[in-house]
Amino acid sequence: MKIVAIDGPAGSGKGTIASILAKKLNLVNIDTGATYRCVALACLKNNLSLNNQDEIIKLSSEIDIKIDLNNKVYLNGEDVTDEIRSKEVTNIVSPISSIVEVRKNMVDLQRKMASNYDVVMEGRDITTVVFPNAQYKFYLDASLEERVKRRIKQNKEKGIDMSYDEVLENIKARDYNDSHKEVGSLTRTDDQIYIDSTNMTIEEVAHEFIKVIEGDNNES
Ligand code: DC
């Protein structure tokens, strides 16, 4: 099975690129951040605060998370595709994703989701933990300022109301937290293909990815 793994910080364009690659290369698109967002939403629904670590871990092993081929996300059978993007979820998802046992449960689930398919999978630890042996490993980056701008634009399209400062502080906090985890930290490695998309259009970024993947196919 073919695996295209993409890691990178919040707002770097991983989601957009993964969805373009999925269409162009006929891959199943798995947004691993959505799995952590489902755990965060389940915590909110069950009134669990970040201090209730044991209960959060238990909950993460009990909930049913599904992502369908159209990227709709279901938590215990309910369509939560939009709800998992809310400000409330976004504010607590990073610390929840730092809990080692929660990560273990989500990594198991993500590997299961990818079995039997050619996939493009994006997140923070796909190239390092989930599929370290993936055929294609990318690290997609962009400057902080550019990522904040992109996230604000995306939020507007989704009707999420967050000020510039709110988005900036959230992304800064997530950048720090996502790269200082005990397990599954966002890391750059020598075997990733590094793409800085700060001054590139989406089309240009997609072209770079496709060039690598198809170039490889043409050689074999
Ligand atoms: O990609 P995203 O913003 O939807 O991810 C939400 C959070 O989940 C993010 O702050 C970090 C975490 N995450 C993770 O720890 N590992 C992944 N593979 C994907 C996301």
Side-chain angles (χ1 to χ4, degrees):
M1 294 285 124
K2 186 190 283 181
I3 298 175
V4 177
I6 310 174
D7 287 325
S12 58
K14 303 182 299 293
T16 311
I17 287 300
S19 107
I20 294 174
L21 295 182
K23 284 198 194 91
K24 292 215 164 156
L25 305 175
N26 206 14
L27 306 169
V28 171
N29 178 5
I30 302 175
D31 164 14
T32 61
T35 64
Y36 293 99
R37 286 175 179 272
C38 280
V39 179
L41 179 60
C43 289
L44 291 174
K45 285 186 188 280
N46 287 276
N47 291 319
L48 288 184
S49 82
L50 289 169
N51 303 327
N52 298 109
Q53 285 229 354
D54 289 345
E55 291 188 51
I56 295 176
I57 293 164
K58 187 162 172 280
L59 190 66
S60 76
S61 70
E62 290 169 352
I63 53 178
D64 176 46
I65 301 171
K66 290 207 167 66
I67 304 180
D68 74 11
L69 295 177
N70 297 314
N71 298 320
K72 288 242 174 271
V73 183
Y74 297 87
L75 171 60
N76 296 328
E78 185 192 347
D79 182 349
V80 293
T81 312
D82 294 330
E83 218 177 337
I84 57 166
R85 306 281 153 203
S86 71
K87 182 158 56 170
E88 292 72 20
V89 168
T90 300
N91 282 338
I92 61 164
V93 63
S94 190
I96 285 179
S97 73
S98 301
I99 304 171
V100 174
E101 292 83 352
V102 169
R103 298 201 70 80
K104 200 174 160 305
N105 290 332
M106 292 306 109
V107 169
D108 285 349
L109 173 69
Q110 291 156 15
R111 287 183 180 144
K112 269 193 211 122
M113 285 174 166
S115 55
N116 302 323
Y117 295 109
D118 286 335
V119 298
V120 52
M121 192 176 247
E122 50 107 346
R124 305 294 189 287
D125 61 343
I126 312 306
T127 62
T128 54
V129 176
V130 184
F131 287 116
N133 297 320
Q135 291 93 325
Y136 306 102
K137 305 209 283 182
F138 293 92
Y139 187 106
L140 184 59
D141 209 354
S143 70
L144 175 64
E145 198 190 357
E146 179 64 24
R147 291 186 288 121
V148 172
K149 271 203 247 160
R150 289 179 191 172
R151 193 41 58 92
I152 287 173
K153 185 163 171 274
Q154 224 172 38
N155 281 351
K156 267 204 189 122
E157 285 161 8
K158 291 188 174 146
I160 299 168
D161 181 30
M162 279 171 88
S163 69
Y164 182 93
D165 286 347
E166 248 180 313
V167 175
L168 176 68
E169 286 318 311
N170 176 272
I171 288 195
K172 267 199 204 160
R174 288 210 288 153
D175 277 357
Y176 182 84
N177 203 50
D178 289 343
S179 52
H180 289 82
K181 285 178 181 150
E182 203 180 325
V183 173
S185 257
L186 175 64
T187 325
R188 277 182 61 184
T189 61
D190 288 342
D191 60 359
Q192 294 157 336
I193 295 162
Y194 179 80
I195 297 179
D196 181 349
S197 68
T198 307
N199 297 310
M200 292 167 84
T201 63
I202 281 294
E203 292 74 24
E204 286 169 339
V205 179
H207 182 71
E208 280 299 304
F209 274 77
I210 290 170
K211 209 166 70 183
V212 171
I213 299 166
E214 297 211 313
D216 199 59
N217 285 344
N218 289 341
E219 278 164 25
S220 56

